[in-house]
Amino acid sequence: MADTTGLRASAPLMGVEEEYFLVDPVTREVVPYAAEVVGRAAEDLGDLVSRELGRYQVETKTPPCRTFGELHGELRHLREAVGGAAEAVGARAVPVGAVVLGSPVPMPISEGSRCEEQLRDYRGLVDEHLICATHVHVGVPDRERAVLVSNHLRPWLPLLIALSANSPFFCGRDTGYASWRHMMWQRWPVSGPPPYFRDHDEYEALLEGLTVGRALADHRTLFWDVRLSSRYPTIEVRAADVPVTAGESALLAVLVRALTVTALRDVEAGRPCPRPPAELLRAACWRAARDGLRGRDMDPHTGRLSPAGDRVPSLLRRIGPALEETGDRETVVALLDRLAATGTGADRQRAVHARRGSLVDVVDALVTRDPAVELR
């Protein structure tokens, strides 16, 4: 086997932000304990844990990591710390993309002027913002190239949505979707797949117009599925539900990093970028959110349908060299094979529900990481 130590050291850093719901251990409905949980978890995690817009959710963020193993370890530590803090205040932390049980509208928002500003601007959207996501950050050399990399990532968003789908249930009912979180997110004024941009100047000009028109409170409320981070020298992919397991989050991050590395090389070599029509791409994302990995994939360039899993080999061909260089190919292939066999988080939640028709069982399986929902 070739020595990849030097190549691993030169791989871009990656990091993951995850959001979790807090639920009552008796009713399994969401509870507004974010401030208490964050306070306790911060004793161990410091600023790696924080409140979210709503008081039902907490967010964690890993330090920048170089390898799958390092990132996986950080994610497991964060989840264990938040889980322990939640139990200490009489709650449980649940990795799921949408609220499974209860009628928690309007959502109580966290204290602070920024949250109040978003409530003023977005109104009922904030009341119903009952979703949890995973955001992957990958280091990029500069913002100019990051915008061009975003263009190359756009066609892969439907597959990333399908692979990470983990929100079939919402407030006591089966939505018929694999990722209801994705559908709820589409209601916001600046969300979904980003536009195609000629350059960074065009990107910034559009953001300025959106901010002047108050569609954005600021650049941090830019909610496209791919964006340039306003705080870090990274490109940020925000298309995924929070997965059931830390391993699935780490897998998602490695896939996004490999796509980013591959895109960056295309940009630097001047290779043309695929440019699917905006409406076909948006429809392909809808199809992925509805049917997940076991449905039919819609080609964002042509609209043609095929089994969603058939696109995974295309992804591996696209990012194969990048995965080989970092030594991640074997791990990625093994985890994708397991995901194909066991199904996404949405599939596994439905399998638990099918046993007794109980959404309480679904929440309990997510909290305890029942083998039925674990990716093994």
Side-chain angles (χ1 to χ4, degrees):
M1 182 180 294
D3 181 5
T4 61
T5 303
L7 293 168
R8 286 176 183 266
S10 64
L13 292 168
M14 55 186 171
V16 170
E17 296 172 309
E18 289 191 318
E19 299 160 353
Y20 322 109
F21 281 116
L22 302 171
V23 302
D24 184 279
V26 177
T27 66
R28 281 78 164 185
E29 297 183 7
V30 286
V31 288
Y33 294 174
E36 296 87 342
V37 172
V38 168
R40 284 184 174 270
E43 296 173 10
D44 175 22
L45 303 177
D47 61 4
L48 297 181
V49 63
S50 60
R51 293 179 295 170
E52 250 296 323
L53 175 60
R55 290 165 57 198
Y56 298 135
Q57 302 137 303
V58 297
E59 180 182 73
T60 63
K61 40 194 162 297
T62 69
C65 297
R66 191 78 65 182
T67 68
F68 175 93
E70 180 187 2
L71 181 62
H72 188 204
E74 292 287 351
L75 286 164
R76 291 183 63 182
H77 174 60
L78 290 169
R79 287 181 175 221
E80 289 167 2
V82 168
E87 289 189 18
V89 303
R92 301 292 185 269
V94 185
V96 66
V99 170
V100 176
L101 277 172
S103 301
V105 177
M107 178 181 72
I109 66 167
S110 298
E111 295 178 356
S113 59
R114 190 165 184 274
C115 294
E116 293 167 1
E117 185 177 69
Q118 289 192 57
L119 180 59
R120 182 198 67 207
D121 287 346
Y122 301 121
R123 306 175 188 183
L125 292 178
V126 172
D127 290 342
E128 300 178 6
H129 191 63
L130 302 163
I131 56 177
C132 284
T134 288
H135 306 155
V136 177
H137 289 260
V138 179
V140 288
D142 53 66
R143 292 178 67 84
E144 181 68 41
R145 279 178 282 186
V147 168
L148 301 180
V149 165
S150 171
N151 292 337
H152 285 264
L153 296 182
R154 292 169 73 245
W156 295 101
L157 288 171
L159 183 57
L160 295 176
I161 292 166
L163 287 168
S164 63
N166 187 35
S167 51
F169 301 109
F170 180 66
C171 293
R173 66 185 180 92
D174 190 326
T175 65
Y177 282 74
S179 175
W180 190 242
R181 179 206 65 86
H182 176 82
M183 300 312 302
M184 294 185 70
W185 203 214
Q186 300 313 295
R187 300 181 300 174
W188 288 66
V190 187
S191 60
Y196 179 96
F197 294 103
R198 291 189 302 271
D199 53 33
H200 182 254
D201 288 344
E202 185 177 30
Y203 180 94
E204 289 294 333
L206 179 56
L207 261 63
E208 180 62 23
L210 291 167
T211 304
V212 169
R214 296 300 297 175
L216 298 179
D218 54 46
H219 287 194
R220 289 176 62 191
T221 52
L222 178 65
F223 297 134
W224 286 323
D225 290 338
V226 184
R227 72 177 187 183
L228 277 61
S229 173
S230 62
R231 292 177 288 175
Y232 309 112
T234 65
I235 194 164
E236 184 181 358
V237 175
R238 307 163 51 86
D241 290 359
V242 61
V244 177
T245 68
E248 287 167 280
S249 278
L251 168 64
L252 177 70
V254 169
L255 292 175
V256 169
R257 179 173 69 174
L259 281 167
T260 300
V261 168
T262 305
L264 186 58
R265 289 173 181 168
D266 284 347
V267 167
E268 292 172 343
R271 286 189 280 270
C273 175
R275 188 173 179 178
E279 290 308 312
L280 279 181
L281 177 57
R282 188 175 183 89
C285 289
W286 162 78
R287 185 93 192 191
R290 193 191 75 174
D291 293 349
L293 194 58
R294 290 183 170 169
R296 290 173 65 78
D297 170 81
M298 179 178 172
D299 188 307
H301 302 279
T302 67
R304 286 195 294 267
L305 298 177
S306 60
D310 288 358
R311 202 156 188 232
V312 173
S314 298
L315 172 65
L316 289 173
R317 286 192 295 273
R318 168 73 174 161
I319 64 176
L323 293 176
E324 292 283 0
E325 289 175 6
T326 57
D328 289 319
R329 184 179 179 87
E330 185 176 339
T331 298
V332 164
V333 169
L335 287 173
L336 287 174
D337 285 347
R338 290 182 191 177
L339 197 61
T342 63
T344 64
D347 298 321
R348 283 148 29 216
Q349 285 189 55
R350 285 195 171 113
V352 171
H353 183 256
R355 294 172 179 167
R356 299 193 308 161
S358 170
L359 288 178
V360 167
D361 288 354
V362 171
V363 176
D364 288 349
L366 291 165
V367 170
T368 62
R369 292 183 299 187
D370 184 295
V373 295
E374 275 281 20
L375 180 63
R376 292 184 182 276

